[in-house]
Amino acid sequence: MPLMPLKMTDGENGNGSDASILTKTHSKTQRPPLYKVLLLNDDFTPMEFVVHILERFFGMNHAQAFEIMLTVHKKGLAVVGVFSFEVAETKVAQVMDFARRHQHPLQCTMEKE
């Protein structure tokens, strides 16, 4: 927001000349961008493993995790959460590491909302 000068009329500043006063503006802080974390379907990762991932890393109950797993299975991918960049990045890394340690090719990615 630009600074707006306020003009005084003669006599207001005591010497009869014109003077300008600058007012301070307050800039609003913007919220950081959010990122969607997505799980992608593959033909090898067991459905039960995907449900376990959703419960463990995304705090879903069994029914929620099962529904999201079915969405991934039927549609090829699903958004499993929306987070700040750092949290999304950490979730993706956790899921990918956990899947690799269990020898599953599950893919997890993130994209700007």
Side-chain angles (χ1 to χ4, degrees), residues 28-75:
K28 287 191 175 186
T29 55
Q30 292 184 345
R31 294 189 148 229
L34 295 176
Y35 290 79
K36 298 184 284 192
V37 175
L38 304 122
L39 277 184
L40 299 133
N41 188 46
D42 65 72
D43 293 332
F44 304 102
T45 304
M47 293 179 178
E48 300 81 25
F49 186 78
V50 175
V51 169
H52 179 70
I53 291 263
L54 294 168
E55 292 171 344
R56 179 172 179 158
F57 297 108
F58 297 95
M60 296 181 189
N61 65 38
H62 189 75
Q64 292 169 320
F66 191 82
E67 284 299 313
I68 296 291
M69 177 276 298
L70 284 179
T71 302
V72 171
H73 182 68
K74 292 176 183 176
K75 295 189 175 182

